[in-house]
Amino acid sequence: MLNTQTTPEAIQEIPVPDTMTLEEFLENDLEGYEYVKGELVPMPPATMIHGEISINIIHYLDAYVREHQLGRLYTAETTFQLDDRAVKPDIAFVSTDRLPENREQASPIPPDLAVEVVSPSDKYYDVTEKALAYLRSGTRLVWVVEPVAKTVMVYRSETDFTVLNYEDTLTGEDVVEGFSCPVAQLFE
């Protein structure tokens, strides 16, 4: 079992194990890591641009979700279990009717909507693989937001995806029904 003290000094002293089961990861939820196919994958710190875009998405999406009482949004600190993975999407939406009864732990279900904001250290292959892992696990809609090109890749399935550019409008389709936002507003 890992040391779970939360002081800054204790966090620096916690050794990161070489191997760990999914159950052990979910039990300990190591900050700064995701769990992918038996391996701990470090998550690099977010850039300021990454944070700004994430806040913009949360601002527009959360206002709509709350006003229409559609469910809950979660930030990158929240862990979701996807089959053999434990991931922390930048933003996630879970509809009211799918909210787990016990929310004092990592989510045992995938989100309805997962949003990933691409960071400079991200590899395109890894981001695409993660988007497809969400879909294979039951996530209904994935937005991959690319800050340099100012685009949003909208994944509905492994074969159904669309690239939206700066002049397009992003919608929640049938997942966050009625939500829409100009793509340009995400990058303000």
Side-chain angles (χ1 to χ4, degrees):
M1 176 91 33
L2 295 175
N3 178 352
T4 58
Q5 294 177 328
T6 57
T7 64
E9 296 79 22
I11 290 172
Q12 291 175 358
E13 294 173 14
I14 296 174
V16 178
D18 292 334
T19 61
M20 177 180 274
T21 66
L22 177 61
E23 292 74 25
E24 289 171 332
F25 180 85
L26 291 171
E27 209 174 276
N28 293 288
D29 202 1
L30 295 176
E31 187 175 333
Y33 288 89
E34 290 185 328
Y35 183 89
V36 179
K37 300 177 185 175
E39 294 183 23
L40 293 177
V41 177
M43 296 171 39
T47 64
M48 291 178 75
I49 295 291
H50 184 283
E52 291 167 10
I53 292 168
S54 294
I55 289 294
N56 286 344
I57 296 167
I58 289 168
H59 173 77
Y60 295 114
L61 189 58
D62 191 52
Y64 185 84
V65 166
R66 284 181 181 271
E67 179 183 342
H68 295 90
Q69 300 177 4
L70 299 176
R72 303 292 283 185
L73 284 190
Y74 297 92
T75 60
E77 294 79 23
T78 309
T79 302
F80 287 84
Q81 186 174 344
L82 310 178
D83 300 326
D84 60 350
R85 298 171 181 245
V87 298
K88 300 176 182 188
D90 292 315
I91 303 155
F93 164 75
V94 179
S95 61
T96 302
D97 60 330
R98 290 188 65 244
L99 285 171
E101 194 170 308
N102 180 2
R103 295 196 306 269
E104 304 230 0
Q105 62 185 14
S107 177
I109 63 165
D112 293 292
L113 165 68
V115 181
E116 291 291 341
V117 179
V118 178
S119 295
S121 61
D122 285 334
K123 295 179 184 137
Y124 182 75
Y125 175 88
D126 292 338
V127 173
T128 302
E129 184 194 24
K130 190 173 183 181
L132 297 179
Y134 282 118
L135 295 170
R136 284 191 294 269
S137 295
T139 297
R140 297 171 46 213
L141 190 62
V142 179
W143 297 340
V144 176
V145 181
E146 209 298 306
V148 176
K150 296 185 176 165
T151 59
V152 179
M153 177 76 81
V154 178
Y155 289 89
R156 294 168 207 85
S157 75
E158 292 185 38
T159 58
D160 182 7
F161 49 89
T162 306
V163 178
L164 301 178
N165 68 37
Y166 200 73
E167 297 174 349
D168 293 323
T169 299
L170 178 65
T171 69
E173 302 186 12
D174 62 344
V175 177
V176 185
E177 230 172 296
F179 173 78
S180 68
C181 175
V183 170
Q185 286 184 337
L186 305 180
F187 302 101
E188 292 179 338

